[in-house]
Amino acid sequence: MIVAPETLDLSGVPCPANAARALLRLEGMDPGSLLRIIVDDGEPVLNVPPALEQEGHALLSKEPDAGRWVLLLRRG
Amino acid sequence: METNIDNGMARDIYLDNAATTRPDPAVLAAMARADSDCYANASTVHRMGVAAGRLIERARASVAAALGAELPEVVFTSGGTEANNLALKGAAAALADRGDHLIISAVEHPSVSRVAQALACRGLRLSIAPVDREGVVDPAAVRSLLTGRTILVSVMHANNETGAIQPLHEIAMLCRAQGALFHTDACQSFTRRPLDTRGLPADLVTVDAHKLHGPKGVGALYVRRGLRLTPLLDGGGQENGLRSGTYNTAGITGFGEAVALAMRTDAAAITTLRDRFEARLAAAIPDVRINGPVGNRLGTISSVTLPRPDAKTLLHSLSRQGIYLSAGSACAAGRTEPSQVLLAMGLAPEAALRTVRVSLSRFTTEQEVDAAADALARAVREVGG
């Protein structure tokens, strides 16, 4: 069964609180599970992916979406 | 000197928990880890900064969960006083175009009442909602004071001297109907009485850490989403611009830990101890008066008016025995004026000066409340009369 990933909307959340909240959510998930994260354009999309990858999570995709970005992460 | 000393170890009986509480060892441990391992500035985006930010956000989630709030609605401050200042001054400045009138209750903590008085000195109109003999605000009195120019109404959740619980929901509904903001100072009641912002139409709620076994110097203001406030501090723009300043990572971490622990505390057990204290004291001194509403008081506070002597004499007598309580609110300590809260409840000034506050915590024991009741009874008998 394919389960749609959870979504964490971090629109409007400044750096680094956005990365911190994403890490907390990922830490509460099972290893290997997927999380879709929405971040703002600009600093957030530049800062959040490396912050999550540094902690062992995998960035699977990064797509623009109406002025924001949708990141797909796999929990490490 | 008679003290509670056992094998060289002081056994202080601390019953001044409404003033501040003993930090929980788990809180201190979490703070020490934060200070040693996550000392980077929590506003920076490198790995160490994110690690510190993670602690801030975890604490925010803890506080938000206890308030039934969304994460962005929790604004960390340096404590309850700052949060109250931000609520009143911030609303008054942001909404100056909408009105010029404030209402507070007659039993507010000085961090609300003096702020309101300061705003009144700057031209705002201030109305005081009276309380009854049990220290409770009548919502009808608030209704009669509300006008189309009222910016904000501030009524505390639980009084810091008597523990009286105020009818917040009714007052908040009146404010909403009139278009005024409603603020409540919930420093005493936070985690001890339900205060779910999803059910209570409050716009601003003040909470702090040190009343619930957390550190001093940390608090938060719940700010309902979409509400406009003018910040007290400008600077780096932390907390959505409402509270600039480098994050107190250890303190905020301790706050979050303290809230999580407090939410698991058995409040009924503390109330049982409080009732035991009052029953024992009343049995020994029949003409003692318990202040506050009988059935709707915070279980951690007992305000008792004794037949004699004056509270300061009692305070020092018990202090010499290693028993620590208060003659009023902590912020009023050191002054000999009668409590404004008790006067507002109709107590005569001389009765207010014979009133002590005993306040309990989850660390309080039966032996401690028994010892305090016995010591108070002894002190009253020694003075004679």
Side-chain angles (χ1 to χ4, degrees):
Chain A
M1 185 176 75
I2 298 172
V3 179
E6 292 179 38
T7 298
L8 177 61
D9 187 353
L10 295 170
S11 306
V13 180
C15 300
N18 44 20
R21 289 183 195 173
L23 284 172
L24 287 170
R25 174 67 74 88
L26 285 162
E27 287 163 13
M29 298 169 62
D30 293 329
S33 49
L34 301 179
L35 178 65
R36 181 186 288 121
I37 301 175
I38 300 171
V39 296
D40 293 326
D41 194 16
E43 290 288 311
V45 74
L46 296 174
N47 291 327
V48 172
L52 304 184
E53 288 178 307
Q54 279 188 63
E55 302 304 326
H57 308 297
L59 178 67
L60 303 181
S61 66
K62 185 173 83 173
E63 302 289 340
D65 179 27
R68 301 181 300 175
W69 290 81
V70 179
L71 314 177
L72 185 61
L73 274 294
R74 181 190 294 126
R75 198 243 197 248
Chain B
M1 185 177 85
E2 184 186 353
T3 57
N4 293 293
I5 303 290
D6 184 14
N7 297 326
M9 297 288 286
R11 288 187 295 110
D12 291 331
I13 297 178
Y14 183 75
L15 294 170
D16 199 13
N17 290 283
T20 195
T21 55
R22 177 182 131 201
D24 191 291
V27 168
L28 295 175
M31 292 175 66
R33 283 195 301 274
D35 261 338
S36 62
D37 301 343
C38 297
Y39 54 84
N41 188 321
S43 297
T44 55
V45 298
H46 53 62
R47 189 179 189 183
M48 288 178 66
V50 172
R54 185 179 160 286
L55 294 181
I56 302 289
E57 294 310 313
R58 191 161 68 179
R60 193 187 311 280
S62 177
V63 175
L67 284 168
E70 298 174 29
L71 296 176
E73 294 178 320
V74 175
V75 175
F76 286 117
T77 67
S78 67
T81 291
E82 185 191 327
N84 283 338
N85 271 263
L86 177 57
L88 271 67
K89 291 177 181 169
L95 303 177
D97 56 334
R98 271 180 39 189
D100 58 1
H101 179 226
L102 299 174
I103 301 171
I104 65 170
S105 87
V107 293
E108 294 302 306
H109 187 274
S111 60
V112 166
S113 61
R114 291 197 182 168
V115 174
Q117 288 158 12
L119 288 167
C121 288
R122 295 178 204 164
L124 268 75
R125 290 181 301 115
L126 174 62
S127 299
I128 310 292
V131 295
D132 62 19
R133 295 188 66 81
E134 294 188 324
V136 178
V137 178
D138 181 357
V142 175
R143 184 193 290 118
S144 70
L145 294 170
L146 276 165
T147 76
R149 298 288 294 168
T150 305
I151 296 172
L152 177 140
V153 175
S154 183
V155 176
M156 68 202 326
H157 189 199
N159 184 262
N160 52 303
E161 294 188 39
T162 65
I165 303 290
Q166 303 296 345
L168 293 195
H169 198 272
E170 291 171 79
I171 296 170
M173 292 297 285
L174 291 170
C175 293
R176 180 149 295 187
Q178 187 68 48
L181 298 181
F182 179 66
H183 165 251
T184 187
D185 175 353
C187 287
Q188 290 292 340
S189 63
F190 185 41
T191 73
R192 299 189 176 107
R193 282 280 176 138
L195 189 75
D196 192 330
T197 56
R198 288 168 297 204
L200 174 73
D203 300 288
L204 299 154
V205 180
T206 293
V207 296
D208 78 359
H210 75 99
K211 306 289 195 201
L212 42 94
H213 306 287
K216 296 165 187 66
V218 192
L221 182 66
Y222 162 83
V223 182
R224 183 173 292 283
R225 184 186 279 269
L227 182 62
R228 201 160 42 96
L229 288 182
T230 299
L232 301 177
L233 302 175
D234 292 306
Q238 288 87 347
E239 298 299 88
N240 295 322
L242 277 177
R243 208 288 179 179
S244 289
T246 301
Y247 281 106
N248 172 6
T249 305
I252 292 170
T253 298
F255 189 10
E257 181 74 18
V259 169
L261 290 168
M263 293 299 283
R264 300 197 290 269
T265 296
D266 181 3
I270 302 173
T271 303
T272 300
L273 280 181
R274 194 273 316 272
D275 292 345
R276 178 188 176 99
F277 163 78
E278 291 181 349
R280 192 175 178 101
L281 188 64
I285 313 170
D287 45 353
V288 68
R289 173 196 155 117
I290 309 293
N291 300 303
V294 175
N296 202 17
R297 271 185 302 152
L298 208 57
T300 49
I301 294 179
S302 180
S303 170
V304 292
T305 302
L306 299 158
R308 59 190 172 274
D310 67 278
K312 281 281 157 42
T313 301
L314 277 172
L315 197 73
H316 294 304
S317 170
L318 267 67
S319 178
R320 284 192 292 273
Q321 301 169 55
I323 300 172
Y324 308 103
L325 38 81
S326 169
S329 72
C331 296
R335 286 191 275 121
T336 52
E337 293 90 16
S339 152
Q340 294 302 308
V341 169
L342 299 174
L343 294 182
M345 293 166 60
L347 264 73
E350 60 272 22
L353 288 170
R354 285 185 275 105
T355 301
V356 296
R357 180 186 67 183
V358 173
S359 47
L360 293 68
S361 81
R362 64 172 180 260
F363 296 127
T364 305
T365 66
E366 280 186 3
Q367 292 75 17
E368 289 178 333
V369 297
D370 288 356
D374 294 348
L376 280 171
R378 211 163 41 238
V380 170
R381 280 196 299 269
E382 281 169 3
V383 173

